[in-house]
Every structure is written in C-alpha cells, then in structure tokens.
Amino acid sequence: MNDWLVSPPPILLFTGKGGVGKTSLACASSIALSDAGKKVLLVSTDPASNLDEVLDTPLTGEPCPVKNAPGLFALNIDPLEAAAAYRNRMIEPLKDVLPEEALRNIEEQLSGACTVEIAAFNEFTRLIGDASVLSEYDHIVLDTAPTGHTLRLLSLPAAWNDFIADNKTGSSCLGPLAGLKEQRKTYEEALRRLRDPESARVIMVSRPETGSLREAARAVKELAAEKILGLHLLVNGVFESTDCDDPLAISWAERAVTALRELPEGLRTLPMHTRPYTPGGLLGADSLRRFLRGETRLDAEADFSELPDHESLAELVEDLAAKGPGVIMTMGKGGVGKTTLAAAIARGLALKGLPVHLSTTDPAAHVAEALGEGLPNLSVNRIDPREVTRQHIAKVMADTGATLDAQGRALLEEELRSPCTEEVAVFQAFARTVARGGDEFVVLDTAPTGHTLLLLDASEAYHREVLRDQGELPDEVKTLLPKLRDPDFTRVLVVTLPEATPVHEAAALQKDLRRAGIEPTAWIINQSLAGARPREARLRTQAQREIGFLEEVADLSARFALVTWQVNDPTGPEGLDQLLNSLKPMETV
C-alpha cells in the first residue's frame, strides 16, 4: 500500500502545491522508516509549516527528537527568517556606501519569492550536500522540495562567475543568487545527489482533481528537464463512495475517478501511488501511523450547524455592485478557484445590467462559453501569460542581451524563465485593463503581488523591469499604483480554501498587499464542506475540522464570503449561478 517507501534511497523529498497533504505524508513516511529501525531526520522548508502541530512536538531550527517515535528527529527551517538573514548579509556591507533610497530599493529587490526560495534552498542543501550530516542519518526526508526553476538556475556554470556581481539588468533572481558563491561546492554536491535516483526520490503529491494533477504535471516536466530521475507520483485523498444517498459523496467519488482516468500525459510514465481519503486533523505519531494504515476515526458528534459570521457570494456581489464601477481582483495561490470565482462575480454583476469587463489568463473562448450568451453588457479578454512573456523575453534579449557575452546571455535568458518574469511581462497589459475601471466594472483573475507592486513603485525599477529602455512611462502605468491603493476604486478579494496551508498562504498574501498599501476588501473561502452540510460520515468529520479554519479567517479578515462545495462541477452558466447561490444547504439527516 505504501509502495513509495519500498527500497527507499537516503533522501526522500515531498513536493506539490499547498493543501495536497505533503506534510502529513512526509511525517507519516518518516515515522514508518523510524519504526523500521532507521534513524531519520525530517525537515520542513514551508513558510506556513505546521510540522510542530502534526508531530505534536515543539521544533526549532536544530534537530529535535519527536515524541513517541524513537529514531526520528525533526527541524523547521523558516524560509522567511532565512531570507531576512540573507538580505541583511547582502545589504550590511552597502550601508556606508549607498544612499538610503538605493538601499530601500535593493531591500525590496530581495523581498520576493525568489529570495525566499533560494534562501531556503541554501539552508537545506547544507543538510543534503554535507557528507557529515548524511552520515548521521539513514534517511533525510524533506517536506517541500525545490522547484525546477531554482535547480535550473543554480546548475548553470555561468551563475557562479563574476557576471552576477556586475549584472545591471535588474533581473529578479540573480540578485538573491549573488550571495551564494561561497556555497558553490555544497550546491554542486546537493544537485548531484538530487539527480541520482539511488540517492534521492522526489515524490510529487497531488489531489485526485483535474486542476491539481495538471499543476503536478507542469512541475514534473520542469524537474525532469533538470535531470531529476527519481520522480514518483502520489495521489492523496482518493475518495471512494460507500452505499449512501449523499449526493455530495457520490459526486466527490465520481470526480476522483474522472481525474485519474484523464491523467495528464506527463504523469503517466511515473510510478504512481494512491492514498485513500482520510478526514480530520492528524496530531501525533499514533494518528500518523493510523493514517498510513488507512484507518479512519470518524467524529460521531460532528456539529457544524453554527459557523462564524459570513456572507454568501451573492451578497458580496450585491455590495460590489452598490459601490459602482471600479476594479475587482480575485487574488490567491494556484488551485484555490480564483478564475472560476472571478467569472461568477462578473456574471453576477452583468445579470444586474451593469457594464462588466472580465480579464482572465484562462482561454477567453472557454471563459466566454462558461459565462453564457445573451449578456451584451459583458466583455471578455484574455491576457496570455505565455505569449506576453515570450514577447518580453525576446525584447530584453534583443536590447540588454546584445551587450553581453555568450555566457552572460545564457544566464540572462535562464533568469528570464523565472516565474517573476511572467508577472512583470503581464504588468503592462494589466495596467491597461485597470484603466478601464473608470467607466465599467473590471474583474481580473490575475494581478501583480504586493512585492511586485512595491518593486515597480520606484521610477528606476519601473524603467528597468517594465520598459527595458523603451522610453517614457505610459500614463496607465504611472497612475496604476495610486488606483490600486484607492479602496473606492479597487476591491481586492483574497481567495482561499478551508485548509491549513491555503489559509496561511492567504494570510501571507494579505501581509504582502498591506506592505504595498493595499487593503483587501474581503476574503472568499471556496469549496467549503461545512457550508454544504454533508451527510456522509467521513465528509461530516472533515466539515467539522473546517470550523477552526473558518474562525481563523474570521479573525484575519474584515469580512468573508463562504462558497460551498458543489455537487455538480461549477462549469457553464448554470455552474456559475450555483456558486452565486451556494449557501442553500442540503438537508441534514
């Protein structure tokens, strides 16, 4: 059953999007190995890590023995703290050299996701690249592995020459990379081990859902391109319906069957493992052992009749309509449903006869079909991230790249494949779309992060990152940030799921937006079981567990809307209308 643990190599890495169960699986696997008589070190690099809670053991940045699991040690690497320390090391020598404004710009350049990821990688390569650490343990288990982009960037020989120190291109990840030259040998050894299937196994964790599996396929493609050979797919939470009359349970099981039957091409050649759906929180070594055995403890007294104060999506749309034209942005991590919710909000406003423009990164034809016909006051356009990024990279390589030698061009081209580049590339299209908000309701399902907005707030950064020597700033770019900071013009909706990692990631996003001077209008909790009032025992247990996350969101947000888990897949006009009326609970038994 747990065949990903058969003949395990010394290093096991669990990776995948937030909320798929990486931490539970990494912890349970570590306990299984320690129960087999192995000495194991479990390491988390997740900024929203709940490793302490799952293991029922207070953890620090040093190995700590885990309760009720002899032979297992665990530690938490806080990547945000690592990134802060890393920034300080980079900036300290410049304090007596550069003016305050320049230092602030550099600090913001080093405040993004790339710096966090590279700083975290710097910490855990010390564990897997140092032979003395490996000799202490039979296995090292990592909860959250590096992305393909980071591995690719760090594997380039050009990344370790003096081009980094002299780089004037304003690229977003080379700055963070510059401080790592002294770690070169450790990195090279860590990369060698990660690429050797006898040394490392990378386990891509996914839910049995179409969107989650597509995300996994993209990540696997990136990792495989970097010669990571020991890749496995672990589909967590496969729900099998029992003899019950709960339409929610039947629907959940059918969607899992469909998603696995239509597995993306890039995943079909991998060793694949599945785990049954297990509701409820996991706390302590014994509960993790039961989880790995597939045992389920149901909450017979589950009661989710009283939920924290919230509103429906329809009520939120009513309020947005009353505020008049402006910009509405759904923001959140991938996989939380922000594109579908943006479409539902746009349709809800248009059905009131209001002029609405929806801008999406989904194929425009697909979105137009989902929105339905007969709404002449609703227009749709697509910002194609791949195409605008391709154009952006071509322009930068033709301009900035023309002044570099072959090695410098290779590094610049690789750095431009960063996720940060895509965000900058869609920026001008985004700015043009926001400018329409003076006359109509503009709904966007994609937006720059708070970090990018701060980065682009400085005229020098605008020039470097947006225009790349193209001349004067367009008016829509000059006025963008003031508009986004105006709560009467821009309404930011933070979208999340009622799970630990998505909620904590959404909290980090809100903090990031506030740094940029943008206050979210409301949160939306998507796919709530508690709101759907399930009857099946496992789903009732999970719904009870959601209550704590709903309460956490109630504390974090000024207000929040609850969108319930739908029996029918919310596609097409009828599906979007379902979401708008999703607080009509099913009868309970």
Side-chain angles (χ1 to χ4, degrees):
M1 188 177 182
N2 305 314
D3 40 356
W4 69 90
L5 292 176
V6 174
S7 302
I11 300 167
L12 290 171
L13 301 96
F14 289 81
T15 190
K17 286 289 183 182
V20 294
K22 295 188 302 292
T23 298
S24 298
L25 286 161
C27 290
S29 299
S30 298
I31 285 174
L33 292 170
S34 66
D35 284 350
K38 305 296 184 181
K39 186 178 180 183
V40 182
L41 176 63
L42 171 61
V43 182
S44 175
T45 61
D46 190 338
S49 173
N50 60 336
L51 201 63
D52 307 54
E53 180 184 2
V54 173
L55 294 173
D56 190 27
T57 301
L59 301 179
T60 67
E62 298 297 324
C64 301
V66 173
K67 288 181 186 177
N68 195 22
L72 176 59
F73 298 79
L75 65 87
N76 258 331
I77 294 173
D78 187 330
L80 300 179
E81 287 184 9
Y86 187 71
R87 274 196 304 275
N88 290 337
R89 289 199 304 273
M90 296 282 285
I91 292 170
E92 193 63 38
L94 303 175
K95 285 189 174 176
D96 296 327
V97 179
L98 297 178
E100 187 65 28
E101 185 177 354
L103 287 172
R104 279 199 304 272
N105 284 341
I106 292 172
E107 185 171 10
E108 186 54 45
Q109 287 271 1
L110 294 171
S111 294
C114 289
T115 302
V116 173
E117 185 175 5
I118 289 172
F121 193 38
N122 186 43
E123 290 296 313
F124 78 65
T125 46
R126 157 177 81 81
L127 300 170
I128 64 174
D130 187 335
S132 65
V133 176
L134 274 175
S135 65
E136 262 191 80
Y137 299 93
D138 297 302
H139 297 284
I140 294 180
V141 179
L142 293 162
D143 171 22
T144 304
T147 66
H149 165 66
T150 298
L151 295 176
R152 188 167 58 240
L153 184 64
L154 295 170
S155 68
L156 283 177
W160 306 106
N161 68 19
D162 290 337
F163 174 78
I164 292 172
D166 299 331
N167 173 41
K168 306 299 182 195
T169 65
S171 42
S172 56
C173 291
L174 294 182
L177 185 60
L180 301 180
K181 292 176 72 173
E182 67 273 14
Q183 260 77 274
R184 176 175 182 174
K185 291 192 178 193
T186 304
Y187 270 99
E188 288 175 343
E189 180 60 18
L191 287 168
R192 184 193 68 75
R193 287 183 176 142
L194 290 177
R195 287 170 171 161
D196 177 7
E198 297 296 319
S199 295
R201 181 174 296 168
V202 179
I203 300 163
M204 180 64 62
V205 184
S206 174
R207 291 287 188 188
E209 299 162 2
T210 301
S212 182
L213 288 165
R214 283 177 185 161
E215 290 284 347
R218 280 192 285 270
V220 162
K221 184 178 179 181
E222 273 211 337
L223 292 167
E226 295 316 301
K227 303 175 184 175
I228 305 297
L229 302 178
L231 286 162
H232 287 233
L233 173 66
L234 178 47
V235 183
N236 186 36
V238 178
F239 188 90
E240 295 181 357
S241 62
T242 55
D243 294 330
C244 74
D245 60 354
D246 187 344
L248 200 61
I250 295 167
S251 167
W252 201 319
E254 288 175 349
R255 288 197 209 179
V257 169
T258 300
L260 292 173
R261 184 175 61 239
E262 299 172 357
L263 200 66
E265 189 69 35
L267 300 179
R268 293 179 188 174
T269 58
L270 297 183
M272 188 176 88
H273 322 282
T274 60
R275 288 284 314 155
Y277 178 78
T278 304
L282 298 173
L283 180 64
D286 285 339
S287 70
L288 289 162
R289 291 183 179 103
R290 289 192 296 272
F291 165 72
L292 214 55
R293 292 195 298 266
E295 297 175 7
T296 299
R297 283 196 171 180
L298 302 177
D299 186 351
E301 304 300 322
D303 177 14
F304 35 84
S305 57
E306 295 296 326
L307 305 182
D309 287 341
H310 59 276
E311 54 196 292
S312 69
L313 188 60
E315 289 170 326
L316 182 58
V317 169
E318 287 283 351
D319 185 67
L320 294 171
K323 290 182 181 295
V327 171
I328 300 164
M329 298 192 296
T330 57
M331 299 185 71
K333 291 285 187 180
V336 296
K338 57 183 181 292
T339 298
T340 300
L341 289 170
I345 291 166
R347 178 173 167 81
L349 292 168
L351 287 171
K352 296 179 180 297
L354 301 168
V356 183
H357 178 75
L358 173 65
S359 180
T360 177
T361 54
D362 258 16
H366 168 73
V367 174
E369 181 183 349
L371 289 165
E373 298 178 356
L375 295 171
N377 53 323
L378 174 58
S379 59
V380 180
N381 86 299
R382 184 193 183 206
I383 298 174
D384 184 342
R386 184 173 296 180
E387 178 57 22
V388 296
T389 302
R390 185 194 65 75
Q391 294 171 0
H392 180 75
I393 290 174
K395 175 67 176 170
V396 175
M397 293 304 299
D399 295 345
T400 306
T403 64
L404 304 174
D405 60 19
Q407 199 174 44
R409 282 177 62 83
L411 184 58
L412 176 60
E413 186 173 20
E414 172 55 40
E415 195 282 326
L416 286 168
R417 291 165 71 182
S418 155
C420 306
T421 301
E422 180 179 301
E423 190 169 44
V424 170
V426 301
F427 184 77
Q428 287 191 76
F430 170 80
R432 287 192 296 270
T433 304
V434 167
R436 300 180 57 157
D439 303 313
E440 58 188 333
F441 289 83
V442 175
V443 183
L444 301 107
D445 77 348
T446 185
T449 63
H451 161 67
T452 297
L453 293 171
L454 278 174
L455 187 64
L456 297 170
D457 196 19
S459 60
E460 180 185 357
Y462 268 130
H463 179 73
R464 178 172 60 244
E465 296 284 0
V466 181
L467 294 181
R468 300 287 188 176
D469 301 321
Q470 293 176 35
E472 188 63 28
L473 285 169
D475 286 342
E476 61 264 22
V477 175
K478 288 179 181 177
T479 60
L480 175 62
L481 202 54
K483 285 180 177 177
L484 296 182
R485 286 171 170 160
D486 179 0
D488 293 326
F489 182 84
T490 298
R491 302 109 205 201
V492 174
L493 307 176
V494 175
V495 182
T496 188
L497 301 175
E499 293 281 348
T501 300
V503 166
H504 297 157
E505 287 176 340
L509 169 63
Q510 177 169 265
K511 186 176 180 181
D512 210 18
L513 288 167
R514 285 172 171 168
R515 285 174 52 238
I518 299 170
E519 183 64 30
T521 299
W523 284 40
I524 302 175
I525 299 181
N526 197 19
Q527 298 179 3
S528 168
L529 274 174
R533 304 288 196 265
R535 299 194 294 259
E536 200 274 342
R538 289 167 295 174
L539 299 186
R540 289 180 63 81
T541 299
Q542 182 64 27
Q544 176 64 41
R545 183 173 175 251
E546 282 185 10
I547 302 300
F549 301 117
L550 301 186
E551 291 172 345
E552 189 172 349
V553 169
D555 290 338
L556 287 166
S557 62
R559 57 194 287 206
F560 78 91
L562 194 69
V563 176
T564 63
W565 214 95
Q566 303 295 302
V567 171
N568 300 312
D569 199 11
T571 56
E574 297 82 4
L576 297 181
D577 291 344
Q578 274 179 208
L579 295 177
L580 289 167
N581 298 287
S582 66
L583 274 187
K584 293 179 179 177
M586 303 174 190
E587 293 182 8
T588 58
V589 293

